[in-house]
Amino acid sequence: MLFCNKAFSSQPNCKCPPELEEIGRALVKKCEGLPLAIVALGGLMGSKDRSEMKWREVYDSLSWHISNNKLLDEVKTVMLLSFNDLPYYLKNCFLYCCRFPMGKWIGAGRLIRMWMAEGFLEEKNSLNSEEVGKIYLKELISRNLLQVVKHQSFIRPKTCKLHDLMWELARSISEKENFLSICGEEVLEKDEKRARRLSVYNVDGAVKMKGDLTHVRSFSMFNDKGESKFLLDDLLSRFRLLRVLELNDAKVDSLPNELGNLFNLRYLSLGGTGIKELPTSVNRLRNLQTLDIRRTEVNVLPNGITELHNLRHLLAYGKEISAEHFAYVRGVQVPGKLWKMKNLQVLNCIQANADIARKIVKMTKLRRIELTNVKEEHMKNLCLSIDKLKFLHHLLVMTVDANAILKLDDLSKTPSIFRKVILAGRMCKVPRWFSSMLNVMHLHLHWSHFPKDQDPIPCISQLPCLEHLVLVNAYASQKQLHFESGFQKLEDLHISCLPELDEMVFLEGVMPKLVRLHIHDCPKLKVVPQGLDYLTNLEQMNLKAASLELVENIRGKGSSNRSKVGRIPSIKHYYEVDGQHSCESLSYTLYPTGTSFSSSILIAF
């Protein structure tokens, strides 16, 4: 309405013509609810011919209009005021965010690691670069220059992005100052870019770059189409001073030995590519701080990796499968002397061995470690090592297979500093240190198979900071789950793979902040969980592979079911038919009593 009042002020009732409605809505979406932007853009469109072609030209060249059109001066002035008011150390961090495609959510950790590689973060007092990066990120968010989709309150916002108009402004400034250039296929073929940072979007076919590239310090490829191929031998020979190389999801199957010539490289990301091994020359990347080979085919790291003494983040897990499987994440094999890499802060996900279990205690800066293939003979040494890692806040331990016993009883000191704990393996009893995890916010128990007399719920219900709880095949033969008290901060509960479960009960006062409830693969659960009406903040209930009876009970129009689930805004059932995934909405339409309820709707997901 606000947009139409400006764009169609001369029309009766300021009504948008039908032929402009689609492109008009697309333009309004660019403003993402900012009234000043809506008014300014509406005024601009009111000055244009009322034809879809003219309006689409504006949409496609919005960046130019922000820079050059006087009718957008007001919104540009406000945005520039926000930018110009930034301290010098935040301006580069802000401009850097436009290297990612417009509207793309950016992992906060990834962004901070890239800032660090570019040299934007300096250690201050007792704070390391990563901690400085978190402070910078929060400051940009507090100034409303970055949007946040999800928070991890104990570390940082999980994902963020630039508002579309802020992205256009950042791109305009970056191009003008040769800070960063965004390239398409035409630009790559014709222009010689002088910016030190290049981002390439969705180029079809082989990526070919002309001109002198010795000035380039940072190169990223964003390939949503999955069709680009890289002539890496040619590119790497011309990127001599590169600090950042990001080829996520690009069509790269192997890496040439020339990679080792990039002596200045700080950040190497190959996630989602088809590479199967790292070249032996990787040991020459002595300045490398981040190596990201997640979701690749790399199974073994070369021995030379231990020579990278400046490496701080080793992200190396294999392609993930459904969390309902035991080995839902695959670790890579590492050299026994990995413990010599004493600057490592993040190590995930690797296969444990005797040396790792005994000597990770020497990696004193570790904050996050994820270990798979843990054998019973590793357990005692592993506990002794973990207990001495005073900065460790994230721990994943997965046994060698689903039948192996996970024995971590010897832990005593570190549980109090844990913030995220993922345990995958059979547990004969509830560890006595569970109750001491006073700072844990995320707890995942996978395939624990607790016996009947060992229920972890009474213990973990009293953890004061717990926000996210995942139980996957956590019980051997549990038929009832009763949540009687506690869980005062829990927001997300995930129950999965309990084949005998036939009853769930929530008593009044439990989980007062629960927002999301997930129930997956519990075929004998046929009645609606009792006490859902006590969960007054519940916004989503997701079912997967649920029994027909449970689905029908939720869908049913009886007053008892209506009182239990009628207030939940979103109820969805995910299932599979003939190999195709589908989602059924079971939500009630909230109308006054006596109004008929709409039938369920099938949608693809």
Side-chain angles (χ1 to χ4, degrees):
M1 287 177 64
L2 186 59
F3 177 83
C4 290
N5 284 342
K6 299 296 292 185
F8 307 108
S9 57
S10 61
Q11 296 290 103
N13 301 320
C14 300
K15 189 174 181 180
C16 175
E19 66 272 14
L20 295 180
E21 184 166 340
E22 182 180 352
I23 185 63
R25 289 186 181 277
L27 284 163
V28 171
K29 189 175 181 181
K30 286 279 189 183
C31 301
E32 297 191 15
L34 292 182
L36 178 62
I38 294 170
V39 169
L41 195 55
L44 171 65
M45 302 317 294
S47 70
K48 301 293 180 183
D49 291 340
R50 292 194 178 95
S51 71
E52 184 180 359
M53 183 180 72
K54 289 291 185 183
W55 279 42
R56 195 162 294 281
E57 286 177 0
V58 174
Y59 179 86
D60 292 338
S61 59
L62 193 56
S63 181
W64 182 91
H65 281 280
I66 287 176
S67 299
N68 299 283
N69 199 302
K70 295 192 178 201
L71 289 171
L72 290 182
D73 275 353
E74 187 177 3
V75 67
K76 185 174 71 173
T77 299
V78 172
M79 292 192 299
L80 276 173
L81 182 63
S82 298
F83 173 75
N84 290 330
D85 188 57
L86 288 174
Y88 74 93
Y89 56 85
L90 285 182
K91 286 184 176 178
N92 284 347
C93 293
F94 168 75
L95 293 177
Y96 198 77
C97 295
C98 78
R99 78 175 301 141
F100 303 94
M102 181 190 293
K104 184 177 180 68
W105 291 103
I106 313 160
R110 172 187 179 188
L111 184 58
I112 290 171
R113 290 190 291 270
M114 295 179 83
W115 284 346
M116 181 174 66
E118 294 280 1
F120 299 159
L121 309 178
E122 297 179 1
E123 296 188 0
K124 296 182 178 180
N125 301 324
S126 60
L127 299 177
N128 62 28
S129 297
E130 290 85 352
E131 290 167 332
V132 171
K134 295 172 191 176
I135 293 171
Y136 287 4
L137 185 68
K138 289 177 181 177
E139 189 167 348
L140 288 174
I141 291 168
S142 69
R143 290 170 175 261
N144 294 315
L145 295 175
L146 280 177
Q147 296 176 301
V148 182
V149 67
K150 186 175 181 181
H151 277 86
Q152 283 184 331
S153 52
F154 66 97
I155 302 179
R156 56 180 175 261
K158 188 172 182 181
T159 54
C160 53
K161 72 167 185 173
L162 286 176
H163 184 286
D164 282 5
L165 294 180
M166 282 294 184
W167 185 93
E168 297 281 11
L169 177 71
R171 176 179 179 175
S172 174
I173 296 173
S174 295
E175 295 274 6
K176 184 177 179 180
E177 297 184 358
N178 276 332
F179 176 81
L180 183 149
S181 285
I182 296 170
C183 308
E185 189 165 12
E186 301 80 7
V187 177
L188 285 173
E189 291 291 336
K190 297 176 182 178
D191 295 347
E192 181 177 323
K193 288 290 183 179
R194 297 308 306 168
R196 289 184 167 227
R197 299 168 186 87
L198 298 180
S199 285
V200 180
Y201 293 174
N202 292 331
V203 177
D204 294 330
V207 175
K208 300 176 182 178
M209 301 187 69
K210 296 184 176 181
D212 180 19
L213 298 176
T214 55
H215 61 282
V216 176
R217 301 293 187 268
S218 176
F219 181 84
S220 292
M221 172 68 192
F222 298 96
N223 185 33
D224 295 335
K225 295 180 181 179
E227 297 171 357
S228 301
K229 294 182 181 179
F230 280 84
L231 304 176
L232 273 179
D233 301 60
D234 172 60
L235 285 178
L236 295 185
S237 65
R238 299 159 67 199
F239 280 150
R240 292 290 183 177
L241 300 177
L242 210 62
R243 296 174 69 104
V244 172
L245 178 59
E246 185 176 45
L247 301 177
N248 284 358
D249 299 310
K251 281 196 171 181
V252 175
D253 298 322
S254 62
L255 296 172
N257 256 323
E258 285 77 9
L259 180 71
N261 295 333
L262 302 179
F263 64 92
N264 210 31
L265 198 65
R266 263 76 167 167
Y267 182 97
L268 176 60
S269 180
L270 303 161
T273 62
I275 63 168
K276 296 178 174 59
E277 62 180 4
L278 295 174
T280 55
S281 64
V282 73
N283 70 323
R284 302 208 303 269
L285 302 176
R286 300 301 175 88
N287 290 306
L288 197 65
Q289 297 170 336
T290 297
L291 175 61
D292 185 350
I293 52 172
R294 292 175 289 186
R295 301 178 294 111
T296 66
E297 301 295 333
V298 176
N299 294 318
V300 181
L301 295 181
N303 289 330
I305 201 80
T306 60
E307 298 178 39
L308 306 182
H309 298 301
N310 286 308
L311 197 65
R312 302 159 78 108
H313 301 267
L314 177 55
L315 312 172
Y317 60 74
K319 293 183 177 178
E320 292 179 297
I321 58 176
S322 170
E324 278 71 38
H325 293 80
F326 172 72
Y328 71 96
V329 63
R330 172 178 57 82
V332 299
Q333 295 180 38
V334 296
K337 294 183 179 180
L338 191 76
W339 56 269
K340 290 187 175 182
M341 304 175 70
K342 295 183 180 180
N343 278 315
L344 270 178
Q345 298 181 24
V346 175
L347 182 58
N348 67 300
C349 182
I350 67 168
Q351 294 184 21
N353 56 45
D355 276 344
I356 291 293
R358 187 173 63 256
K359 294 184 178 179
I360 59 167
V361 65
K362 298 184 179 182
M363 304 169 76
T364 55
K365 295 183 179 181
L366 274 178
R367 296 170 179 266
R368 173 174 179 160
I369 186 168
E370 298 186 352
L371 299 170
T372 66
N373 205 44
V374 179
K375 300 177 181 178
E376 189 168 345
E377 58 264 30
H378 300 155
M379 301 287 182
K380 189 172 183 64
N381 284 332
L382 183 60
C383 288
L384 292 173
S385 295
I386 290 173
D387 255 345
K388 294 178 181 178
L389 298 174
K390 61 180 181 178
F391 297 116
L392 192 69
H393 63 69
H394 177 120
L395 174 69
L396 180 151
V397 179
M398 179 184 289
T399 56
V400 65
D401 58 53
N403 295 314
I405 304 298
L406 185 60
K407 293 183 179 179
L408 297 176
D409 296 337
D410 292 328
L411 282 179
S412 60
K413 298 177 182 177
T414 48
S416 62
I417 64 171
F418 288 158
R419 291 169 179 171
K420 185 170 185 177
V421 176
I422 304 171
L423 303 177
R426 190 179 292 268
M427 305 182 79
C428 298
K429 61 180 181 178
V430 179
R432 61 179 181 272
W433 49 266
F434 263 31
S435 59
S436 66
M437 294 190 294
L438 300 180
N439 290 294
V440 77
M441 294 185 174
H442 290 240
L443 177 61
H444 298 231
L445 300 176
H446 291 256
W447 294 72
S448 306
H449 281 271
F450 284 109
K452 286 184 178 180
D453 61 340
Q454 292 291 319
D455 185 1
I457 295 297
C459 175
I460 62 181
S461 68
Q462 303 307 312
L463 297 178
C465 297
L466 188 64
E467 295 178 357
H468 184 97
L469 175 62
V470 177
L471 302 174
V472 179
N473 211 341
Y475 295 93
S477 58
Q478 192 82 354
K479 290 189 174 184
Q480 293 89 29
L481 275 182
H482 286 202
F483 299 99
E484 299 178 353
S485 63
F487 296 108
Q488 293 303 295
K489 287 193 175 181
L490 196 69
E491 297 178 1
D492 201 327
L493 174 63
H494 186 125
I495 307 293
S496 182
C497 298
L498 295 181
E500 300 300 320
L501 183 69
D502 59 17
E503 181 181 77
M504 284 183 67
V505 177
F506 299 89
L507 296 189
E508 187 173 5
V510 74
M511 303 183 191
K513 295 185 178 181
L514 193 70
V515 176
R516 293 167 294 275
L517 173 62
H518 310 266
I519 304 174
H520 295 180
D521 295 292
C522 299
K524 291 189 177 180
L525 185 63
K526 299 178 180 180
V527 297
V528 178
Q530 299 178 39
L532 286 181
D533 45 328
Y534 294 137
L535 306 177
T536 55
N537 285 305
L538 191 62
E539 296 178 3
Q540 300 175 27
M541 185 164 77
N542 295 326
L543 310 175
K544 181 179 178 182
S547 67
L548 180 62
E549 292 87 349
L550 177 58
V551 172
E552 288 299 324
N553 277 326
I554 291 175
R555 185 188 287 125
K557 300 177 176 61
S559 59
S560 61
N561 287 328
R562 189 179 306 173
S563 65
K564 290 180 181 179
V565 300
R567 69 173 66 206
I568 304 174
S570 174
I571 306 175
K572 293 180 180 178
H573 177 217
Y574 298 93
Y575 60 97
E576 187 175 322
V577 177
D578 298 329
Q580 297 294 317
H581 295 285
S582 294
C583 173
E584 180 181 13
S585 173
L586 304 176
S587 307
Y588 282 83
T589 307
L590 298 180
Y591 290 117
T593 303
T595 305
S596 62
F597 288 82
S598 62
S599 59
S600 58
I601 301 169
L602 288 175
I603 59 173
F605 80 97

